């Protein structure tokens, strides 16, 4: 991975430091309901404040089309103050007089949150005038929002070309973890990819087969591969029109000497419902009116065997309909296996994606993984091998 500057390279005392953070947190009735993303930015803010910087936070919230009170960052800033255990001032805009006046009042070590950058069209357009208006507020720029790094927006990419740019601690930790997973990993590398549809992960699969030693395919997307090989899958979720695509991916994997690991048995039900009566069937014996909703016990053991040989595991997507009670067992068992081996120092494990995080939390395994990314789209695009504008700008 190309080098990037971190807080170790920033002489912060007395400087106005614009810090791009992720404050796009879940809200209900005007209250923040999950502070995970707030907790992740605490180390960067605390370190800068302790070094005597004047910390100015930039972030978006929601998808407003112009100024909209329901998408104001003011209640988030108040919650962040509780998480930080220090005051967080708030400015009613992110550019212009309200922002400039609030920045001018800042003292060394104090923290200010500016209003939602997406209240201005120039944010998503990466407009040069908007970038310049933001840049006037700071002496240095720190990006601590990997989750927004796949967007070439003013506050995520444009500012890095106008001010000396650095990675915050959360960004640094994420980039170092991802480099261990696919950039410069300990081998063998096994990727576990699940989810409902092949169509949403074509780029991902195409990139992984050339980078990993083994690829476990589960979830509904495995059904498309099984169908492409002539296996009867009953009424299971399947993108039959992608059979040729699935066969092409299998051929690409064979050429790259990447072992594809598909289910060999399945947990089958007749209704898509929690705790629906279910049975285990070997593949080829799935009833015509049955639905595959989880990998079966033989598949779990086969995948465990692959995990035991791996030095690095990269995970994206559940292996069954984990959100339904009774059909989470395969995902939970394998998540706990990876967690145990990571805890024992036998492997590096990196996971990401919304459903993946939820599944690992359900298995009480997330805390034992080497790194779990909450970045969603940015994590997926990184796994697809795409350049992330917000990261590339830090390396320029």
């Amino acid at each position: 991975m190309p080098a990037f500057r971190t807080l170790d390279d920033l002489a912060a005392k007395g400087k106005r430091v614009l810090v791009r953070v992720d404050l796009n947190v879940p809200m209900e009735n005007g209250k923040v309901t999950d502070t995970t993303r707030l907790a992740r930015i605490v180390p960067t803010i605390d370190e800068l404040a302790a070094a005597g910087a004047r910390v100015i936070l930039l972030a978006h919230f929601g998808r407003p089309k112009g100024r909209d009170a329901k998408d104001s960052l003011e209640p988030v800033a108040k919650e962040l103050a509780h998480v930080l255990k220090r005051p967080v001032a708030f400015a009613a805009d992110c550019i212009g007089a309200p922002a400039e006046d609030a920045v001018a009042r800042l003292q060394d070590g104090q923290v200010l949150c500016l209003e939602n950058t997406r209240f201005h069209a120039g944010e998503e357009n990466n407009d040069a005038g908007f970038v310049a208006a933001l840049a006037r507020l700071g002496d240095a720029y720190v990006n601590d929002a990997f989750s927004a790094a796949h967007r070439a927006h003013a506050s995520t990419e444009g500012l890095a070309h106008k001010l000396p740019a650095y990675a915050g601690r959360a960004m640094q930790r994420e980039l170092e973890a991802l480099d261990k997973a696919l950039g410069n990993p300990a081998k063998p590398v096994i990727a576990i990819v699940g989810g409902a549809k092949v169509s949403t992960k074509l780029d991902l699969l195409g990139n992984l087969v050339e980078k990993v030693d083994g690829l476990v395919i589960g979830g509904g997307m495995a059904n498309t591969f099984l169908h492409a090989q002539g296996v009867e899958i009953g009424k299971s979720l399947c993108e039959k029109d992608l059979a040729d695509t699935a066969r092409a991916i299998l051929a690409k994997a064979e050429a790259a000497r990447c072992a594809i690991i598909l289910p060999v048995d399945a947990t089958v039900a007749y209704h898509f419902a929690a705790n629906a009566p279910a049975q285990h069937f070997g593949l080829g014996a799935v009833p015509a009116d049955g639905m595959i909703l989880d990998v079966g016990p033989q598949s779990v053991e086969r995948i465990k065997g692959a995990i035991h040989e791996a030095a690095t595991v990269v995970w994206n997507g559940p292996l069954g309909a984990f959100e339904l009670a009774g059909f989470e067992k395969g995902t939970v068992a394998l998540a706990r296996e990876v967690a145990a081996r990571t805890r024992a120092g036998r492997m590096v494990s990196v996971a990401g994606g919304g459903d993946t995080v939820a599944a690992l939390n359900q298995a009480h395994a997330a805390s034992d993984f080497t790194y779990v990314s909450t970045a969603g789209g940015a994590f997926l695009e990184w796994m697809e091998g795409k350049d992330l504008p917000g990261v590339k700008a830090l390396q320029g």
Side-chain angles (χ1 to χ4, degrees):
M1 177 180 291
F4 53 90
R5 291 185 293 187
T6 71
L7 298 189
D8 296 328
D9 305 300
L10 174 57
K13 183 170 177 57
K15 287 185 178 173
R16 302 169 303 160
V17 182
L18 292 169
V19 186
R20 183 44 159 102
V21 291
D22 184 355
L23 299 182
N24 203 28
V25 294
M27 301 275 289
E28 193 171 304
N29 298 321
K31 301 289 185 182
V32 176
T33 58
D34 185 341
T35 61
T36 301
R37 287 183 169 176
L38 303 185
R40 287 204 168 186
I41 62 175
V42 167
T44 290
I45 297 172
D46 275 350
E47 185 172 342
L48 286 170
R54 302 177 185 194
V55 184
I56 305 157
L57 305 180
L58 294 169
H60 75 272
F61 185 81
R63 298 180 181 274
K65 300 300 180 186
R67 186 171 291 274
D68 190 331
K70 71 176 176 57
D71 289 319
S72 173
L73 278 172
E74 187 168 12
V76 183
K78 290 178 180 177
E79 183 61 32
L80 178 61
H82 291 301
V83 175
L84 281 170
K85 297 181 174 60
R86 69 169 73 233
V88 176
F90 183 75
D93 207 341
C94 60
I95 59 171
E100 291 168 6
D101 292 347
V103 170
R105 289 194 294 271
L106 271 183
Q107 301 296 312
D108 292 359
Q110 293 184 337
V111 182
L112 167 69
C113 179
L114 303 183
E115 183 58 283
N116 194 340
T117 56
R118 286 191 182 174
F119 281 178
H120 297 269
E123 163 70 340
E124 293 185 77
N125 296 336
N126 205 358
D127 176 76
F130 184 67
V131 172
L134 290 174
R136 282 195 291 273
L137 302 173
D139 305 303
Y141 168 73
V142 171
N143 193 339
D144 212 29
F146 179 81
S147 56
H150 58 312
R151 301 185 177 107
H153 292 176
S155 68
T156 61
E157 195 264 352
L159 270 174
H161 300 294
K162 294 287 286 185
L163 296 171
Y166 307 84
R169 293 308 185 196
M171 172 73 84
Q172 178 185 352
R173 184 166 176 246
E174 183 109 26
L175 294 178
E176 289 173 349
L178 300 187
D179 192 51
K180 286 182 180 179
L182 284 183
N184 186 31
K187 288 183 169 285
V189 183
I190 299 295
I192 299 173
V193 179
K197 294 183 176 182
V198 174
S199 56
T200 62
K201 297 191 177 179
L202 288 175
D203 290 344
L204 171 62
L205 296 171
N207 183 51
L208 286 178
V209 295
E210 296 186 334
K211 289 192 172 183
V212 303
D213 302 290
L215 175 59
V216 176
I217 300 175
M221 61 193 303
N223 301 334
T224 300
F225 282 86
L226 295 171
H227 167 74
Q229 294 179 313
V231 176
E232 291 296 330
I233 56 170
K235 292 184 177 179
S236 306
L237 176 66
C238 178
E239 293 174 287
K240 294 183 178 180
D241 59 323
L242 291 180
D244 287 343
T245 301
R247 285 189 284 265
I249 292 170
L250 292 172
K252 186 177 182 180
E254 184 175 3
R257 296 185 178 179
C258 169
I260 298 291
I261 301 168
L262 287 164
V264 293
D265 67 338
T267 301
V268 177
Y270 302 91
H271 304 285
F272 189 80
N275 297 311
Q279 295 173 280
H280 302 309
F281 288 95
L283 293 179
V286 176
D289 57 346
M291 291 181 288
I292 298 172
L293 295 183
D294 195 8
V295 291
Q298 293 178 41
S299 299
V300 169
E301 292 306 311
R302 186 179 184 213
I303 298 168
K304 279 184 180 179
I307 290 170
H308 289 177
E309 294 179 5
T312 303
V313 165
V314 185
W315 190 323
N316 174 257
L319 299 181
F322 80 100
E323 69 277 15
L324 299 179
F327 303 104
E328 77 289 0
K329 295 176 183 176
T331 299
V332 167
L334 293 167
R336 289 177 177 170
E337 189 71 20
V338 172
R341 293 186 68 80
T342 305
R343 192 168 58 244
R346 295 179 179 177
M347 66 167 48
V348 170
S349 54
V350 176
D355 285 347
T356 313
V357 175
L360 298 187
N361 285 335
Q362 184 173 324
H364 303 291
S367 61
D368 286 320
F369 272 57
T370 304
Y371 191 80
V372 176
S373 173
T374 60
F379 180 83
L380 189 59
E381 289 196 21
W382 167 79
M383 285 190 73
E384 292 169 351
K386 296 177 180 176
D387 280 335
L388 306 184
V391 172
K392 193 172 182 180
L394 295 177
Q395 299 167 337

